[in-house]
């Protein structure tokens, strides 16, 4: 520390980020800077935004994943197609980004010399056939499967194939947070540069609900264009997911995946977010179910009370009508009895009169 401090003089002003960027930018020199030269590579379209008459696209190396920003004038860009191998006259420049502290190299096209359409070889034909097969088979619904398992309160079996020296499992676990309890995750380490090892791991773990190939980035992205590996992925029973850490190119294996992510971190975040969304939906649907049941019970109770009131009113009305009918019968019976009593009294008088007549006749006869 003393020796370091001894080299700092009191009259030396402190550097700020801008001065540091300028210092390093000025120190980066090359005979190619700001001079025209020939370039060749594969043309890739950028975002398609016109910035004052130019577009920021990409020139990719024909044999590696290396690429550089390509500035194309508007009048030349209309002549270019995605995937063409181009030769152009260009010049190299540096661009400082004061907000991120980056110094980028940029190729600016001044003249387009040749364009060669991308040749379609036998492997590309086979790759297109695999993509057509996948489109016909369909993409499995990973969201639906996870939601279904969570609703059933069952764990989701996930196997993640990673590199032998990878530490991305920690990144995934970190993103899962409290959702880790619902995912039964197994990490299988293989050499991701060897196709036979990857295929063997895929076959051995095809009983999982979800099978993932994940890596943290780097070179050798071409291995995931391997036809044998892609064919194996196409025949998987498990839901197949990739998180192979590459945004610039989309390898065949990623296109065949039921779902893909750029990084393993994004995969873990997806598992966490889906768990929380499903939990919220479940709680909301549970509350709605309780509210619906309560409302239905109230309606049923009100209906039963109304039916009971109607029955009581009908019974009361029937009893009143019965009572009136009984009163009428009693009245009729009373009147009948009164009439019968009066008739009996008359009959008794007649009988007595008849007996008196008979007695009188007998007395009169004996007197003679």
């Amino acid at each position: 520390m003393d020796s370091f401090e001894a080299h700092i003089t009191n009259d030396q002003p402190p550097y700020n980020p801008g001065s540091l960027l300028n210092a390093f930018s000025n120190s980066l020199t090359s005979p190619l800077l700001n001079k025209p030269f020939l370039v060749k590579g594969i043309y890739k379209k950028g975002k398609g935004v016109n910035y004052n008459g130019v577009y920021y696209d990409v020139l990719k190396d024909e044999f590696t994943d290396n690429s550089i920003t390509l500035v194309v004038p508007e009048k030349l860009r209309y002549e270019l197609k995605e995937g063409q191998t181009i030769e152009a006259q260009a010049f190299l420049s540096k661009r400082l980004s004061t907000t991120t502290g980056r110094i980028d190299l940029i190729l600016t096209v001044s003249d387009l010399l040749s364009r060669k359409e991308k040749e379609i070889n036998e492997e590309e034909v086979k790759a297109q056939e695999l993509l057509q097969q996948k489109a016909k088979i369909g993409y499995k619904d990973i969201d639906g499967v996870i939601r279904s398992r969570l609703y059933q309160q069952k764990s989701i079996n996930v196997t993640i194939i990673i590199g032998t020296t990878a530490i991305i499992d920690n990144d995934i676990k970190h993103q899962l947070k409290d959702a880790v309890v619902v995912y039964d995750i197994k990490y299988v380490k293989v050499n991701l540069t060897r196709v036979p090892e990857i295929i063997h791991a895929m076959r051995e773990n095809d009983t999982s609900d979800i099978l993932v190939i994940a890596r943290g980035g780097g070179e050798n992205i071409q291995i995931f264009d391997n036809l044998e590996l892609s064919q194996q992925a196409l025949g998987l029973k498990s839901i197949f997911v990739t998180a192979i850490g590459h945004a610039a190119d989309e390898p065949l294996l990623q296109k065949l995946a039921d779902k893909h992510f750029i990084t393993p971190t994004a995969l873990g975040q997806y598992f966490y977010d889906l768990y929380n969304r499903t939990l919220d939906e479940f709680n909301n649907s549970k509350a709605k179910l309780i509210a619906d049941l309560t409302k239905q019970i109230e309606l049923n109770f009100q209906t039963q009370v109304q039916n009971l009131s109607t029955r009581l009113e009908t019974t009361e009305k029937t009893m009143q009508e019965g009572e009136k009918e009984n009163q009428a019968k009693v009245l009729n019976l009373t009147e009948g009895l009164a009439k019968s009593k009066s008739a009996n009294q008359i009959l008794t008088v007649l009988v007595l009169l008849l007996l008196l007549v008979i007695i009188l006749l007998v007395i009169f006869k004996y007197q003679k």
Side-chain angles (χ1 to χ4, degrees):
M1 180 62 70
D2 293 338
S3 60
F4 176 74
E5 292 177 348
H7 290 85
I8 301 177
T9 59
N10 293 331
D11 58 347
Q12 181 179 347
Y15 284 98
N16 57 42
S19 59
L20 285 172
L21 281 171
N22 286 320
F24 274 91
S25 176
N26 293 332
S27 66
L28 295 174
T29 61
S30 169
L32 295 176
L33 282 174
N34 301 314
K35 294 180 180 180
F37 56 88
L38 295 180
V39 294
K40 182 180 181 182
I42 299 172
Y43 173 73
K44 298 283 186 180
K45 288 188 176 181
K47 296 181 179 180
V49 179
N50 189 327
Y51 295 96
N52 299 319
V54 297
Y55 291 83
Y56 285 82
D57 297 323
V58 176
L59 187 67
K60 181 180 177 297
D61 195 287
E62 293 181 86
F63 309 106
T64 69
D65 291 333
N66 297 327
S67 60
I68 189 171
T69 300
L70 188 70
V71 179
V72 184
E74 183 178 3
K75 62 180 181 179
L76 296 179
R77 194 174 192 266
Y78 292 118
E79 303 178 31
L80 298 175
K81 294 181 181 179
E82 178 78 15
Q84 286 181 328
T85 300
I86 66 170
E87 288 188 15
Q89 181 174 288
F91 60 89
L92 190 66
S93 60
K94 295 177 291 184
R95 182 177 64 178
L96 276 67
S97 175
T98 56
T99 57
T100 60
R102 288 174 50 182
I103 302 174
D104 296 324
L105 294 178
I106 297 176
L107 269 178
T108 301
V109 176
S110 58
D111 191 15
L112 190 61
L113 302 180
S114 69
R115 307 182 307 276
K116 184 179 179 182
E117 296 294 338
K118 185 179 179 182
E119 296 181 358
I120 301 177
N121 55 38
E122 186 176 343
E123 287 190 357
E124 290 176 334
V125 172
K126 180 62 177 176
Q128 288 299 319
E129 291 176 354
L130 291 176
L131 289 172
Q132 290 174 2
Q133 290 180 40
K134 181 60 179 178
K136 186 176 181 180
I137 295 170
Y139 292 82
K140 299 183 181 73
D141 182 13
I142 181 174
D143 289 24
V145 170
I146 292 176
R147 282 194 174 98
S148 176
R149 289 299 181 91
L150 291 175
Y151 274 117
Q152 296 171 11
Q153 296 184 348
K154 295 181 179 179
S155 62
I156 302 102
N157 298 317
V158 182
T159 298
I160 304 178
I161 300 172
I162 61 177
T164 50
T165 60
I167 57 172
I168 59 173
D169 49 330
N170 293 325
D171 298 333
I172 297 173
K173 292 173 185 176
H174 178 71
Q175 293 300 320
L176 281 170
K177 302 172 186 174
D178 55 331
V180 70
V181 295
V182 300
Y183 295 99
D184 183 11
I185 298 180
K186 178 177 69 172
Y187 294 92
V188 176
K189 292 193 173 186
V190 301
N191 187 340
L192 289 180
T193 63
R194 292 182 54 81
V195 171
E197 286 192 31
I198 302 173
I199 291 177
H200 177 75
M202 293 169 73
R203 288 174 178 169
E204 289 295 312
N205 296 280
D206 196 18
T207 56
S208 302
D209 296 323
I210 302 170
L211 181 61
V212 183
I213 292 181
R215 70 165 201 168
E219 300 296 328
N220 197 28
I221 191 71
Q222 294 91 343
I223 193 170
F224 298 115
D225 282 316
N226 181 273
L227 293 177
E228 188 179 358
L229 184 60
S230 300
Q231 184 70 56
Q232 180 64 36
L234 192 65
L236 290 172
K237 296 177 183 178
S238 304
I239 296 172
F240 180 57
V241 176
T242 61
I244 53 180
H246 210 277
D249 290 319
E250 187 178 10
L252 178 60
L253 193 68
Q254 181 172 308
K255 295 177 182 178
L256 294 172
D258 297 303
K259 199 171 186 70
H260 68 270
F261 302 91
I262 299 301
T263 63
T265 300
L267 170 68
Q269 187 65 46
Y270 161 76
F271 283 146
Y272 173 76
D273 290 343
L274 185 56
Y275 163 75
N276 281 283
R277 287 200 307 270
T278 305
L279 193 62
D280 290 341
E281 291 170 4
F282 178 77
N283 290 332
N284 292 335
S285 63
K286 186 177 179 181
K288 186 177 183 301
L289 177 62
I290 293 173
D292 290 344
L293 287 174
T294 302
K295 185 176 180 180
Q296 187 63 44
I297 290 171
E298 289 176 352
L299 289 174
N300 290 339
F301 179 74
Q302 291 174 0
T303 301
Q304 291 178 4
V305 169
Q306 187 175 0
N307 291 338
L308 182 59
S309 299
T310 302
R311 289 173 61 185
L312 287 173
E313 290 176 1
T314 303
T315 302
E316 185 178 358
K317 185 176 180 181
T318 303
M319 290 178 65
Q320 289 175 352
E321 292 176 351
E323 186 177 355
K324 289 179 180 179
E325 185 178 350
N326 290 334
Q327 288 176 353
K329 287 181 180 180
V330 170
L331 181 60
N332 291 336
L333 182 59
T334 303
E335 291 176 352
L337 289 175
K339 291 178 181 179
S340 177
K341 183 177 181 181
S342 177
N344 288 337
Q345 289 176 348
I346 295 172
L347 183 59
T348 302
V349 171
L350 290 175
V351 171
L352 290 175
L353 289 174
L354 181 60
L355 287 174
L356 181 58
V357 171
I358 293 172
I359 293 172
L360 291 173
L361 288 173
V362 172
I363 294 173
F364 179 75
K365 184 178 179 181
Y366 278 109
Q367 286 178 351
K368 290 181 174 184

